[in-house]
Amino acid sequence: AVAWGRRPARRYQLMRAALRTRGALRRTGRGGGVGRVRPRARAAGMDPVTPSLTRGGGNGALLEHVNLNVPDRAAAHAFYVGALGGAVHPLGTRRHQLHVNLGVSQVHAPFADTPPDGVGEAVRDLEGGSDSLREARVEDGSPYVGEAQVLAGVVRLWVRSASRSLARLRAARAQPALAGTQFAFAKDESARAGELGCPGPVVRVTCPWGNAFELVEAPEDVREALEPSAIGAHPGGGGDECLALAGLELPVRPGVARKLAAMYGDVFGMEVFEAAGLESAQAAAWSVVVGPYQRLTFVESADAPDPREYWTSRRTRGWHLCVYVRGWAE
């Protein structure tokens, strides 16, 4: 995971300059950037192809986890373990954080039930623009979570069976920890599953705090590639239903999707391609192959949140994803 400072654009420029000085960035097609950009492809009778079923040959090895802070451990456990079928990671789960294995990927859910002394003042300082984030810690070093993080986008999961996932979601309605929350789900019978090349419907799920998830039934070749026997498994097992994170779809301001994708190609050597916006085929969208059959997609939208909210809003500050890379030699 890469942490950017308060001037991410400037830091990106400095990183590019340093890498070019070392000869790390090349425009030959091996490392990324322009050489890795795919043209938009078309198939008969279909919208522009979105290669979600591209195993990928770039430097992205695995989309390993997404971090979403939560204010309530019981609700997080009921959702990620009970409703989605994940398994608790015994080493990463501690007093103030819950790590759940979703196949070979994870979700990290830091939480704190009550603020320790002094944390409330530190958080208020952060809202005023100070840099005292390190003060907002509980006694074991974990961050105090006063409000859930809500992504302006969609988190996708590969699952073994959409029908089994639906049955599990229906059973989760009875869990007391989910009562009165935003937890909801619905089967999507539209063309989404066909567009993604999947045999079953897409199941749209809302977490207790409003984050949007989509469960996509994985075809056989995806299941084979993402089995723990092929990649490796976290302690605690992968759970009953999920195979891995399929990716994230994030709305961004018009004119920046290609630039964001190019950063992943230039700096990290990942494969990038132009893709159709999944919510609107007319929207400009660029994707990054961050792992086997995993992608990070930026979809341009006039309604995208101001990126400064990442630094100024407690509802969005600090959410992150972790991507494994194959190496840095190139």
Side-chain angles (χ1 to χ4, degrees), residues 48-286:
V49 174
T50 54
S52 58
L53 302 187
T54 298
R55 184 167 185 133
N59 201 28
L62 181 69
L63 177 54
E64 194 273 338
H65 78 252
V66 60
N67 183 101
L68 293 169
N69 293 353
V70 299
D72 184 341
R73 175 179 182 146
H77 188 281
F79 177 70
Y80 290 114
V81 178
L84 296 186
V88 173
H89 184 279
L91 302 182
T93 298
R94 301 172 186 173
R95 181 179 177 185
H96 292 290
Q97 67 183 23
L98 175 67
H99 288 190
V100 178
N101 300 336
L102 301 172
V104 298
S105 301
Q106 290 186 327
V107 62
H108 292 183
F111 65 90
D113 297 324
T114 57
D117 293 340
V119 165
E121 181 177 355
V123 171
R124 285 193 294 273
D125 288 344
L126 283 168
E127 291 176 338
S130 74
D131 291 318
S132 57
L133 179 61
R134 285 172 294 181
E135 298 175 18
R137 301 278 167 174
V138 293
E139 58 271 20
D140 67 353
S142 302
Y144 164 63
V145 176
E147 194 168 359
Q149 290 174 330
V150 181
L151 273 174
V154 179
V155 179
R156 291 196 177 88
L157 292 167
W158 288 119
V159 298
R160 301 178 187 279
S161 167
S163 59
R164 289 203 306 267
S165 292
L166 272 171
R168 177 178 285 274
L169 290 164
R170 293 188 182 105
R173 287 171 170 165
Q175 296 201 38
L178 297 178
T181 70
Q182 298 182 54
F183 171 63
F185 60 91
K187 183 168 61 173
D188 185 351
E189 297 285 7
S190 68
R192 289 292 298 277
E195 180 185 353
L196 293 172
C198 304
V202 172
V203 182
R204 295 177 181 266
V205 184
T206 303
C207 87
W209 303 278
N211 282 296
F213 289 77
E214 289 183 354
L215 312 184
V216 185
E217 185 171 317
E220 182 177 357
D221 54 347
V222 176
R223 290 197 299 269
E224 291 176 355
L226 293 174
E227 286 290 351
S229 59
I231 293 181
H234 290 289
D240 297 330
E241 300 298 338
C242 297
L243 287 163
L245 287 164
L248 282 76
E249 181 180 320
L250 302 172
V252 298
R253 292 171 298 165
V256 302
R258 187 185 189 282
K259 298 174 184 178
L260 286 168
M263 187 277 288
Y264 283 84
D266 285 347
V267 177
F268 301 124
M270 295 178 181
E271 189 174 12
V272 303
F273 57 87
E274 189 177 11
L278 297 186
E279 291 298 333
S280 170
Q282 304 304 315
W286 285 80

